[in-house]
Structures are given as C-alpha cells and as structure tokens.
Amino acid sequence: MKNVEVNSDRVFISDIASKYPKNIGKMPVSLAPMPDETTKIDANYLKSILNSNNMHYSICGEYSIVKRKAFLITADTIYKLMGEKDLIIQTKLPIALPYNHYTLSISGIKNYGEYSWIQLTVMLDNQVYRNFFIQYLKKIDSLVPIASQDIRSYQVITKDDIEFKKVDYLPSYVITTKDSIIGAKALGNIKSGSFFTFYNTQRQMFVNVGDIVSAVYDKNGIDVQTSAKALQIGYKGDIIKIEFLNSKRIGNARVIGLKKVEIIQ
C-alpha cells in the first residue's frame, strides 16, 4: 500500500495498491476526502471491504494516505481575470474545488456604496458549476476625508469637522467624498484623525428609487433643468443612474439635494 493523490470523488483499489487482480482494480473502497485534505485507509478496513464482497486476498502494507487533488482559485487567478494587480482581495483565498477542468470568467462587477464585488463564474462541461462573490479594494493613491477634531455622538458633521489625509488603500466601508459626509449625524463618538464610515455616520437619503427628480446641467453657461426618474437610492454626493422622462435615455447624475441631481455629461 502507498501514499496517493486522487482526482475523483472516490478511491479505488487501483489508487492505493501497486498489485491487485485486474477484475477488482476499479472497485471503490472509500469516498475521497475534501479537496486538499487527506484520509487514511488501513489494511483492516480494506480487508473488511473485500470480505463484505466475498473477496479474500492477502494485503501487504499497513495503510495508505490518500489526498484529493484540488483545483485552487487564488489571488493570482483573480489578477489574471481582471487584468490588473492593484487589488486587495478581501475574500479568503484560495478557494478549493474538486479537481477538474473548469473554465473561469468574470460575469459581473457589483458596487454597493464603497463595496466592490467580483462575480466569478466557474463553468464545467459548458454549464455553470458554481458562482463566487469576491470582495476587493482597488489602490487609490488619493486624499480621503478624516475627522479634523473629536466629534460627539449625534452631532451633525460640518465642513469644519473634515480634513484630508493621503492614503494608498482603504477598507471598503470608508466614505471617500466630503459631500457624502457633510450634514450626516455621528453614530457614536468619532475621534480626531478617524475615517468616516458607513458604521459611524448616518447620512440623509435625498433620493429614493422611483423618485421623480429635478435634473440640472450646464449648457454653454446656461443652467438647464429637466425631469428624470431615479433608478437608485442616493445620499448627498452619490452618483446614481437616472432615466430621462422625455427620451427614456439612461444617464449618470450626482445627488445635490432633496430630489435634486446634477447631470454628469
């Protein structure tokens, strides 16, 4: 008996024995362990399997250590699919799958506030085998608002409470735009130098899904106003999708007030 690595979900006589009658080579003796784990098959266990099938053979050796080969999804896998390396992967990797010939693709990228998620689709035999959602951050190298002084719980945050700090990377829950912070209430005390986050601030929602909003834009120095339907919720400073009522065209706009947005051209 010997140490082996298997690719299927079962362990056969031929996997663990160097000599065996040909007619029993593909006889299953155990389920394979989970990917990248091991299981021990000893001589007594194997004898009991054979005896229960009315087979009586001599067995050499004491045991076999069986390891199931895994297909690993690593950070390098994500970097190659995304075509960039300036990412911080927050989802625990690697992800181990039973060994097989899979096809991987990025089937979607979703943003929820400051959160970014990659939808990773794993295909097997031209069918969807699994979907995974991988959370990540991107390198930003920019100035981010922080508290310029201690802020008391339930205090309304003003522009004087904010200063900026240069950072390379940020946790996904940090708010990065000043306009999204001004006018919000502090949920608990915020110490000087701390980031503003979705957990320590409560912002006022100015636009809800389906709201008819006043959409303004500058055309040759003249302020033009039209009506649109909001397709996303929005807090002050957020960029949301809107649908223009006259043309049904979809566009982007920045929330600037209660049911009021500024069209981004």
Side-chain angles (χ1 to χ4, degrees):
M1 301 175 75
K2 56 185 180 179
N3 295 347
V4 297
E5 186 173 57
V6 297
N7 294 336
S8 67
D9 59 356
R10 291 182 294 176
V11 181
F12 301 99
I13 294 285
S14 57
D15 292 322
I16 62 174
S18 55
K19 294 182 179 180
Y20 50 87
K22 290 184 178 180
N23 62 315
I24 67 168
K26 291 302 178 183
M27 177 182 174
V29 294
S30 172
L31 292 176
M34 295 300 291
D36 253 13
E37 296 182 358
T38 60
T39 190
K40 181 177 179 180
I41 299 176
D42 62 25
N44 289 332
Y45 171 79
L46 184 56
K47 284 181 181 178
S48 68
I49 293 294
L50 294 173
N51 290 338
S52 65
N53 287 276
N54 295 316
M55 299 177 186
H56 305 281
Y57 296 101
S58 60
I59 298 175
C60 300
E62 296 180 356
Y63 60 86
S64 287
I65 299 297
V66 180
K67 181 178 181 180
R68 188 174 183 181
K69 190 174 181 180
F71 180 95
L72 298 178
I73 299 174
T74 66
D76 283 339
T77 306
I78 305 301
Y79 297 152
K80 289 178 182 177
L81 290 172
M82 293 288 287
E84 56 182 307
K85 287 190 174 182
D86 289 336
L87 305 175
I88 297 178
I89 307 296
Q90 295 180 297
T91 301
K92 185 178 179 181
L93 295 176
I95 297 171
L97 299 176
Y99 185 80
N100 220 315
H101 298 289
Y102 301 105
T103 302
L104 307 182
S105 64
I106 301 295
S107 51
I109 296 177
K110 302 180 183 295
N111 297 288
Y112 299 102
E114 297 294 322
Y115 290 85
S116 294
W117 300 81
I118 298 166
Q119 182 175 339
L120 175 65
T121 297
V122 182
M123 303 286 292
L124 179 63
D125 297 330
N126 295 320
Q127 293 185 339
V128 175
Y129 176 77
R130 289 282 299 275
N131 280 306
F132 296 97
F133 288 90
I134 311 295
Q135 187 178 345
Y136 72 98
L137 295 174
K138 294 189 70 172
K139 187 174 182 179
I140 58 173
D141 188 23
S142 65
L143 293 172
V144 173
I146 61 172
S148 61
Q149 55 193 336
D150 290 343
I151 301 172
R152 298 188 308 276
S153 181
Y154 295 106
Q155 177 181 328
V156 176
I157 301 168
T158 70
K159 63 179 181 180
D160 295 330
D161 296 316
I162 300 171
E163 61 184 20
F164 289 85
K165 176 182 179 181
K166 187 174 182 180
V167 297
D168 294 326
Y169 294 97
L170 275 181
S172 57
Y173 48 82
V174 171
I175 302 172
T176 58
T177 56
K178 181 178 70 173
D179 287 344
S180 296
I181 300 167
I182 294 175
K185 290 183 180 179
L187 295 178
N189 297 324
I190 301 175
K191 292 185 178 180
S192 177
S194 299
F195 291 120
F196 296 96
T197 74
F198 293 106
Y199 304 120
N200 66 13
T201 62
Q202 182 180 50
R203 300 184 293 164
Q204 181 182 356
M205 187 174 67
F206 284 153
V207 175
N208 205 345
V209 176
D211 281 349
I212 303 302
V213 298
S214 173
V216 299
Y217 64 97
D218 182 285
K219 185 175 182 180
N220 299 324
I222 301 174
D223 287 336
V224 178
Q225 180 174 311
T226 187
S227 296
K229 182 170 73 172
L231 301 180
Q232 296 173 297
I233 65 171
Y235 300 86
K236 189 176 180 181
D238 285 353
I239 295 175
I240 64 171
K241 295 286 185 185
I242 59 172
E243 181 185 77
F244 296 97
L245 297 183
N246 54 356
S247 65
K248 301 300 181 182
R249 182 172 62 86
I250 306 297
N252 295 319
R254 180 180 289 105
V255 178
I256 59 175
L258 183 61
K259 296 187 180 181
K260 190 173 183 179
V261 300
E262 180 183 37
I263 297 170
I264 299 174
Q265 298 180 326

